Structures are given as C-alpha cells and as structure tokens.
Amino acid sequence: MFTQYFGQYLFNKGILSADQLCDLLAYEQSTHVKLGVLALNSGLMTAAQIEEVHELQRTMDRRFGEIALSKGYLTQPQLDNLLSQQNSRHLGLNQAILDRNCLTLSQLETALENFKQDTGLSQGQLQALQSTDIDQIVPLFLDFSQDEIGRLHYDYVALLLKNIVRFLNDRPLLSRPVPLPKQPEGWIISQQAVGDHTLSTALVLSDSSLIDLATRFSQEEISQVDDLAKDSVAEFLNLHNGIFLINMSDRGLELDLKPQTTQVCSASVSGYRIPITLTSGSIELVLSIT
C-alpha cells in the first residue's frame, strides 16, 4: 500500500512524471510473485489445490495461506518459508526509484521526509501504511464512528480493498472522502441487503473504469460498455457483498441480499462517497449502513 501512496505523492509534487511512475510501478510489480505461484514452483501444492484455494476465497474473507493451512496443503513452516521468499522478491518502490536512477539517495530521503510532514502521519501510522494489513490502513483515511455501525463501515471498506486485490489483481488506492458534486457521473451499479441492518452499496464508474474492472473480473476481452461488461461488474459487487454478509453472519447479524441494479447516474446518491483509485482511474464507493 505504501508504494501506491508514496508514488502518487511523488507524481502530485512533480518529482516523477506519469511515464516514470508507470514504469516504476510496473518494474516494482514484476518482482512480486503470488504465493500460489511460489507454492507451485516449490512443489508444495498442485495446480488443482491452488485453484481450489482461489475458489474458496470467493466464499470467505481469508488469505491464500490461511486457507492452504486449514486444508492441510501447507504446514506453518512451509508457509513461513514461502512468505519469506515472497518478501525477498519484492523490491519496493524506493529500490525501484534508485535502480532506475530517478532520484539520488539524498533526494529520496528528502522526499520521504516531506511525505511524512505533508501527510501528517505519525511513525506508527507510517508503519501501518507500509504494512500489508489493510485493516490497519483504512482508519488512516476514513473517520467513521467507533460504535458497531462505524466498525461495520470500516470492515466493509477493508474487505472491498482486499477483494479488489484478490479478484481484480489490482492495487487500490484509498482516498479520504472529499466534497463531491451532488450528482455522480457515469454508471452506478448498486445493491442492497436488509435484515438486522440495512446495507446500501454502490460503485460509481466511468466507461473506461467499468470496462477495465469487467475485463479483470471476467478475464475476458471486453472493449465496450455492453451487457457483459455491466453484468461482470454487478457480479463482482454481488460476490463482494456476499462475502461481507458471511462475515456479518459470523458476528450474529443476518441480512438478505437483494438483486443488483445498473443504470446511468441520473440523480444524487446518499451515503459516504469514498474515492478509490485503480489502474484505469478512479471509482467511487457509495456506502450506507443503518
């Protein structure tokens, strides 16, 4: 997560060009190997076992390693070794910046210090941002209440970011809610669940963001906003909300999921409007839990 935020900061400050940032992120990402690939390469898991774990992730909020452990496909020492291999192959944006000679070590040090000051993050918050624990990162940008409803909002956003990583193979960048136009622009794909609470959710997307998200989720070539594109994004939202409702059920809260709706934005929406930046551009999460 730190990579995306620091990279965006360097771009916004004019320290890196758009082309440089894209090159650096691609270079940095090329060194990151997924755990399943490492397990396959090491002969610890078969392709069928890896696919089974991926399918189970579509029904539960669990990391790959956690599921592999529970199924008996990996032992804890084997998982620890794979995680160590994964971390050692991940150079990080700072190393990529130096390798590509975009900044000197002194310039990088100055940029990091300015980033800390401009964002107002404490050392502890910065460490949370540098971690891979999305649950720690979300409260750095969002300020929900500390009661049950607030915790559900935090949990929903954190799960959405995890599912974007898991099912879209993208790296989301969460932003603080800012004043936005009353009427969103583009497409709005929404879904509600009712029961012990009322959950209202929606994704607001431009044409390009909708096409990219649909392509990533369906793993098919989609080049225009057609029924397949809209249905694919709606199914992603349905999958995510289904996993969230399973998590809520584990906490003793029962809700029934309603069908998704897709339409061109034509009216204002209510709820928190949270910008999330993806590879193809920004989308908005509209969220209300009552």
Side-chain angles (χ1 to χ4, degrees), residues 31 37 49 51 53 66 72-74 78 135 157 177 184 188 204-206 225 238 252:
T31 67
V37 174
Q49 290 170 337
E51 286 298 325
V53 172
E66 293 174 332
Y73 296 150
L74 293 175
Q78 288 172 332
D135 293 311
V157 176
I188 182 165
V204 180
L205 316 94
S206 65
V225 178
N238 184 67

Side-chain angles (χ1 to χ4, degrees), residues 58 167-168 189 191 203 205 209-240 260 262:
R58 300 173 73 92
F167 303 124
L168 304 183
I189 298 177
Q191 188 172 39
L203 297 177
L205 316 94
S209 294
L210 189 150
I211 292 169
D212 183 70
L213 197 157
T215 298
R216 287 174 177 273
F217 183 67
S218 68
Q219 297 185 359
E220 297 188 30
E221 288 298 327
I222 298 176
S223 59
Q224 60 183 345
V225 178
D226 54 16
D227 288 343
L228 175 60
K230 290 182 284 188
D231 289 347
S232 295
V233 177
E235 183 53 34
F236 169 71
L237 181 62
N238 184 67
L239 170 66
H240 163 68
Q260 315 95 302
T262 301

Side-chain angles (χ1 to χ4, degrees), residues 21 34 38 44 50 78 118 123 134 136 150 155 160 176 182 185-186 194-195 215 221 225 260 263:
L21 181 57
K34 287 195 170 184
L38 289 176
L44 297 176
I50 293 168
Q78 288 172 332
D118 292 348
Q123 187 60 37
I134 291 177
Q136 292 186 46
D155 292 345
L160 178 62
R176 292 185 174 92
K182 291 184 178 179
E185 299 179 353
V194 296
T215 298
E221 288 298 327
V225 178
Q260 315 95 302
Q263 59 187 357

Side-chain angles (χ1 to χ4, degrees), residues 21-90:
L21 181 57
C22 289
D23 175 67
L24 288 167
L25 291 176
Y27 177 62
E28 186 261 352
Q29 180 67 9
S30 69
T31 67
H32 186 75
V33 184
K34 287 195 170 184
L35 206 62
V37 174
L38 289 176
L40 184 66
N41 290 345
S42 301
L44 297 176
M45 292 178 65
T46 66
Q49 290 170 337
I50 293 168
E51 286 298 325
E52 180 185 359
V53 172
H54 287 162
E55 284 301 312
L56 287 172
Q57 284 188 297
R58 300 173 73 92
T59 65
M60 61 180 71
D61 178 21
R62 297 292 184 272
R63 295 187 178 188
F64 182 96
E66 293 174 332
I67 297 176
L69 279 178
S70 67
K71 297 292 291 184
Y73 296 150
L74 293 175
T75 65
Q76 188 63 56
Q78 288 172 332
L79 176 58
D80 292 342
N81 182 54
L82 291 175
L83 290 172
S84 177
Q85 291 182 50
Q86 188 181 53
N87 291 333
S88 68
R89 296 188 186 197
H90 198 179

Side-chain angles (χ1 to χ4, degrees), residues 158-170:
L159 180 62
L160 178 62
L161 298 182
K162 294 174 188 176
N163 285 338
I164 288 174
V165 174
R166 289 168 180 162
F167 303 124
L168 304 183
N169 195 28
D170 207 341

